[in-house]
Amino acid sequence: MKRISFSGKNNVFYDLLKQKVDQYFASNKLKTTGNWKLYSKTIILLLLAVGIYSSLIVFQLPLWASFPLFAILGLNLAAIGFNVMHDGGHGSYSAAKWLNKAMAYSLNAMGGSSFLWNIKHNQNHHS
């Protein structure tokens, strides 16, 4: 069985998929970059992360109250990675390249390495 892959310039599946996605955006008069919903989500996720992290650092919460906040913070950071950083890395966060780059580097602010992510990412995805 042939493995489905998105790599390679002559990939019929990738070309057809890209054509269908482009048609969808054009027929629905949508931009291929972020809109107010994406930017609102970014603001909410970032404020939530800063708020939870600050609460854990500033206040001496009992352990039973800290553990749920740890879990929520972890899920929130994952949401930032899956949404903000990923869209910036693909160049779809904004039409402005500098903003895409800044959002891709949000991984570094969370303790990750955008350098390592970009190496792996560029080997496995089309831009």
Side-chain angles (χ1 to χ4, degrees), residues 25-125:
F25 278 94
S27 66
N28 289 293
K29 296 179 176 77
L30 297 171
K31 296 188 319 179
T32 58
T33 56
N35 58 20
W36 69 270
K37 293 177 186 177
L38 176 69
Y39 303 135
S40 297
K41 180 173 55 173
T42 300
I43 292 167
I44 291 167
L45 288 172
L46 292 177
L47 288 175
L48 188 60
V50 169
I52 293 172
Y53 183 77
S54 298
S55 296
L56 288 166
I57 297 299
V58 173
F59 303 112
Q60 290 185 345
L61 300 171
L63 207 53
W64 63 267
S66 296
F67 278 120
L69 289 178
F70 294 151
I72 294 169
L73 179 60
L75 291 171
N76 188 67
L77 293 177
I80 292 170
F82 281 120
N83 292 277
V84 178
M85 186 269 303
H86 189 252
D87 288 341
H90 276 290
S92 60
Y93 191 86
S94 170
K97 287 185 180 189
W98 70 268
L99 187 54
N100 284 320
K101 195 172 197 175
M103 294 303 110
Y105 284 132
S106 67
L107 178 63
N108 293 12
M110 297 185 299
S113 171
S114 59
F115 176 75
L116 294 175
W117 185 84
N118 281 327
I119 289 173
K120 183 177 181 185
H121 177 75
N122 288 335
Q123 291 174 349
N124 295 324
H125 289 77

